[in-house]
Amino acid sequence: MAEHEAGRLAHMHPPAESVPEAWRKTELARHPQRPYPMDYIQALFTDFSEIHGDRAFGDDAAMSCGMAWFHGEPVMAIGNLKGRTLKDRVARKFGSPDPEGYRKALRAMKIAEKFNRPVFTFIDLAGAYPGIGAEERGQGEAIARNLLEMSRLRVPTIATITGEGGSGGALALAVTDRVLMQENAIYSVISPEGCASIMWKDAGKKQQAAAALKYTAGDVRALGCVDDVLPEPEGGSQNDPAAAVAMLDEKLQYHLGELLAQPIDRLLEERYRKFRNIAQFYTTA
């Protein structure tokens, strides 16, 4: 009887060494104490002045945009908001933007373009909000519009995936000159639970799906979907947020310096070429 109970518990809570690396990364990316995009924006930028509303429907509580300063450079900072308390999480739809959130972000990007300010985006979302109202108000079109407009935005652009980068909801903020990814973040077309539900009709096979999706920083970098993988403190950014901010700050300064040194027409050409050739791979029979 005791042996049976031990076996049952082992099945429910497998030893750490049996948990796939991809799933360990997933749990770190979703850690409730992990710094969120707004935590980084508040720590990295000064004089953040928020811009509200999409001038079409409303002001999405899941998206924040604003003018700011980054080491003496005037910039635009954009990030989705998740909330720490249950009340905030519900109000912000757990960080999943509505179409007006993406339209607000695009409005902010166009303002940045008008005033020649580099754009920084910070991403930690499982996907765009999938509610009926969001679909009725043009969720797919809003995402597609962002993809188009970001591809030809005439200012340097940098996206950083700090936690989950899920589906088109993440991509709508990540068509940028540089796509950065923290080492314990994930970037994927679908969640492991969603993938398992489709492939095996069993969301419980999420760990198997996580391994198959190849969405960890190393895998995504190998596919050419991100330009740089950023180090984190030992055990994840939640263990030392200040150190995580310092590591990110150094990388952002480096990449922004590189982008500012290039003519904008060259940046646009390279941006176009990168996204036309992204994630190509070949197999042999």
Side-chain angles (χ1 to χ4, degrees), residues 11 40 45 77 84 88 97 111 120 124 134 139-140 175 190 193 198 207 212 216 241 245 252 256 265 278-279:
H11 176 73
Y40 285 114
F45 302 94
R84 292 290 180 187
D88 275 350
I111 291 173
F120 291 86
D124 184 2
Q139 185 70 286
V175 182
I190 193 171
E193 294 86 353
I198 293 171
Q207 294 188 14
T216 63
V245 167
L252 291 179
L256 180 61
D265 287 334
I278 207 165

Side-chain angles (χ1 to χ4, degrees), residues 33-46 69-71 84 120 122 160-162 180 182-183 230-234 236-254:
Q33 298 305 315
R34 189 176 179 84
Y36 289 154
M38 185 48 65
D39 296 321
Y40 285 114
I41 289 174
Q42 291 175 340
L44 290 164
F45 302 94
T46 57
W69 291 83
F70 181 69
H71 294 280
R84 292 290 180 187
F120 291 86
F122 297 84
T160 305
I161 300 159
T162 65
L180 316 182
Q182 290 189 307
E183 64 175 319
L230 314 184
E232 294 185 34
E234 177 114 17
S237 295
Q238 74 283 350
N239 289 340
D240 192 345
V245 167
M247 293 174 180
L248 178 52
D249 187 23
E250 181 180 354
K251 286 287 190 176
L252 291 179
Q253 288 187 69
Y254 170 77

